[in-house]
Amino acid sequence: MRIKLAAMFAVGIALSLTLSSPSRAAERPNVIVIMADDLGYGDLSCYGATELQTPNIDKLAAGGLRFTEGYCSASTCTPTRFSFLTGMYAFRQPGAGIAPPNATSLIKPGTETIASLLSKAGYKTGVVGKWHLGLGEGEGPDWNGLLKPGPLEIGFDYCYLLPTTNDRVPSVYVENHRVVDLDPNDPLWVGRKKPSEDHPTGIDPEVRKTLKMDWSHGHNNTVHNGIGRIGFYTGGQKARWRDEDLADAWVDKSVEFIESNKDEPFFLFFASHDLHVPRMPHERFQGKTKLGFRGDAIVQLDWCVGELTKTLDRLKLSENTLIVFCSDNGPVLDDGYKDGAIEQLGKHKPAGVYRGGKYSIYEGGTRTPFITYWPGTIKPGQSDRVVCTVDLPASMAALVNQPLEGQACPDSFNVLPALLGKSDAEGRDHLLQQPNKGPTLALRVGDWKVLSYASAKPHKRLTYAKGEGKYELYHLVDDPAEKNNLVKKHPEKLKELLEQLEAIKAAGHSRPGI
């Protein structure tokens, strides 16, 4: 009798756990943030592109929520990635501009991040792909030793990284704290100046003749894989990668991470790099579009997304996984290499109807594709709520009931209801936008937007020409392309918004509840 009772009790417990597991899973879904690099609002077929097709990303948009007013917080990579992880506007952090090759860790250990918040909630956390937030401390990264602090010191359990960017040295992978496949007998050296007079560079006429992709400006220091880079490095020959293989490496390591953590909640930051220069997609994608290597890189990005979603389907994880698809900034065509991006553009409009792109504070610099996908939870549709990558830490903390304490994530809003498509959800009521770093900033409040520059002097950038004057004012509903500067017609609105911008800067935070 005791044996039968014990058996019945065991069966009852098992049944109880089985029945309760879906509700427990629903409380802690897996989270994957896919951040594209230099992808513009008009670069995807689900956002109106007609010169190429992105079926896998389109599937996310068709089965999830496609935002028409989704933003990154800055129009360059390092600031957006910093604010996405920390929930803090990057202009508040000294040195948070585009990181050089030997940059040390920008996010200090002990800083609350989206990864540390989810880790506290019991998640396994990983980042695969582009980092560009610095590694190590002191005078520079120890490329031949332990590269710490880094992702593992701010909440990640695992990382497999492109430590800087594809156009910056060193051209190696970093897994957790070390350079992958580094031979101690061939140490890696990274510096700002030529290590020797005979060190070949892309500026040397004879070397330049041999390049597989020529440079248009800059990008002419050390040559690797037939392409000039920013910065100098020597050694580490066995550790060096090919540009063409990066996307495959990101997918392979991401699939390994998902498979290893399929039985517990996980958070994966998939940091794509496909569209960033030098654009050198794998040979199997080259020539797939009529837009040149930039268009081919978009197709490669779409393939990456498809490989991730196929993995979730295969492991039966799709209905318990929230995917957020976004970009780190708007598009750029000639960003230092002669890759045909301008010459082969044709009818394609990378930023859609919006003005500007990467490096600018016009809408084209920060308004990007933004999609949330969670089968069975998010109802398919379109949203005009204002949401931003800086909001993901607070929103994911709310998703898993993890409190934000003190000054943590000071500019991150909980817009979870909007991300999930709740009918009564509100997005942001205001949003600050920046280029690489301050003091140039823009502030959107409702349908109004003010641009505040450091100087009234007109100047040109790679993707846009600044208008006249120190300030610009636009009403986005009537003028989404920001063509009609209303500074003279609405001086009171200009004054109101500039005062609000200064108040946000001075407060040191903008998150409600602090």
Side-chain angles (χ1 to χ4, degrees), residues 354-505:
Y354 300 108
R355 180 179 181 179
K358 185 176 183 177
Y359 309 111
S360 84
I361 51 174
Y362 293 112
E363 289 293 284
T366 54
R367 192 187 296 213
T368 67
F370 200 113
I371 301 167
T372 56
Y373 177 80
W374 185 359
T377 298
I378 293 178
K379 184 179 179 180
Q382 177 176 298
S383 174
D384 62 357
R385 302 295 189 266
V386 177
V387 295
C388 181
T389 52
V390 73
D391 297 324
L392 292 176
S395 301
M396 295 306 100
L399 178 69
V400 298
N401 297 312
Q402 186 65 37
L404 291 178
E405 299 179 355
Q407 299 290 315
C409 307
D411 297 298
S412 188
F413 285 27
N414 174 16
V415 293
L416 180 63
L419 296 177
L420 298 182
K422 302 300 182 184
S423 58
D424 57 347
E426 296 293 332
R428 278 180 160 265
D429 60 352
H430 71 276
L431 175 65
L432 189 144
Q433 300 156 270
Q434 68 175 84
N436 185 26
K437 50 187 176 181
T440 295
L441 296 169
L443 177 66
R444 174 177 175 174
V445 181
D447 295 330
W448 288 92
K449 179 178 174 181
V450 65
L451 287 70
S452 175
Y453 291 93
S455 169
K457 183 180 179 181
H459 60 280
K460 291 185 177 181
R461 287 290 185 265
L462 296 176
T463 60
Y464 76 105
K466 172 189 171 298
E468 294 183 0
K470 187 174 181 179
Y471 306 116
E472 296 177 45
L473 179 68
Y474 300 101
H475 191 249
L476 294 177
V477 171
D478 301 324
D479 183 22
E482 295 168 291
K483 295 180 178 179
N484 185 21
N485 187 353
L486 301 175
V487 163
K488 294 181 179 179
K489 289 187 177 181
H490 294 278
E492 293 183 359
K493 177 59 70 172
L494 174 67
K495 180 175 182 293
E496 173 191 331
L497 293 182
L498 288 175
E499 288 177 350
Q500 187 170 344
L501 174 59
E502 290 303 315
I504 293 172
K505 290 165 59 178

Side-chain angles (χ1 to χ4, degrees), residues 210-373:
T210 69
L211 298 178
K212 71 165 67 173
M213 179 178 287
D214 196 9
W215 52 272
S216 57
H217 53 83
H219 303 90
N220 51 25
N221 299 148
T222 295
V223 174
H224 166 69
N225 192 31
I227 302 171
R229 317 282 166 162
I230 296 173
F232 300 92
Y233 82 124
T234 62
Q237 292 295 330
K238 292 182 179 178
R240 300 188 182 194
W241 40 248
R242 277 196 337 146
D243 302 75
E244 294 90 339
D245 299 327
L246 288 172
D248 287 315
W250 306 149
V251 167
D252 289 346
K253 291 299 178 179
S254 295
V255 170
E256 287 180 14
F257 177 82
I258 294 171
E259 290 177 337
S260 297
N261 296 284
K262 61 182 174 60
D263 296 324
E264 53 192 326
F266 64 80
F267 164 58
L268 172 64
F269 173 27
F270 182 86
S272 160
H273 191 259
D274 306 86
L275 276 78
H276 195 284
V277 297
R279 301 164 186 129
M280 187 56 65
H282 193 276
E283 288 86 349
R284 67 183 184 276
F285 294 108
Q286 294 180 18
K288 289 294 184 181
T289 73
K290 55 186 177 182
L291 302 179
F293 278 2
R294 186 175 185 276
D296 300 343
I298 295 174
V299 172
Q300 179 175 271
L301 165 66
D302 185 70
W303 170 81
C304 292
V305 173
E307 292 302 297
L308 294 183
T309 55
K310 288 176 186 175
T311 299
L312 295 176
D313 290 342
R314 172 170 57 85
L315 298 175
K316 296 180 172 53
L317 296 174
S318 297
E319 292 189 2
N320 191 38
T321 302
L322 167 62
I323 297 177
V324 180
F325 180 90
C326 56
S327 179
D328 67 345
N329 50 249
V332 60
L333 297 179
D334 181 353
D335 205 13
Y337 294 95
K338 298 178 180 180
D339 62 1
I342 294 177
E343 295 81 358
Q344 296 175 259
L345 184 63
K347 299 178 181 179
H348 185 62
K349 297 180 179 180
V353 301
Y354 300 108
R355 180 179 181 179
K358 185 176 183 177
Y359 309 111
S360 84
I361 51 174
Y362 293 112
E363 289 293 284
T366 54
R367 192 187 296 213
T368 67
F370 200 113
I371 301 167
T372 56
Y373 177 80

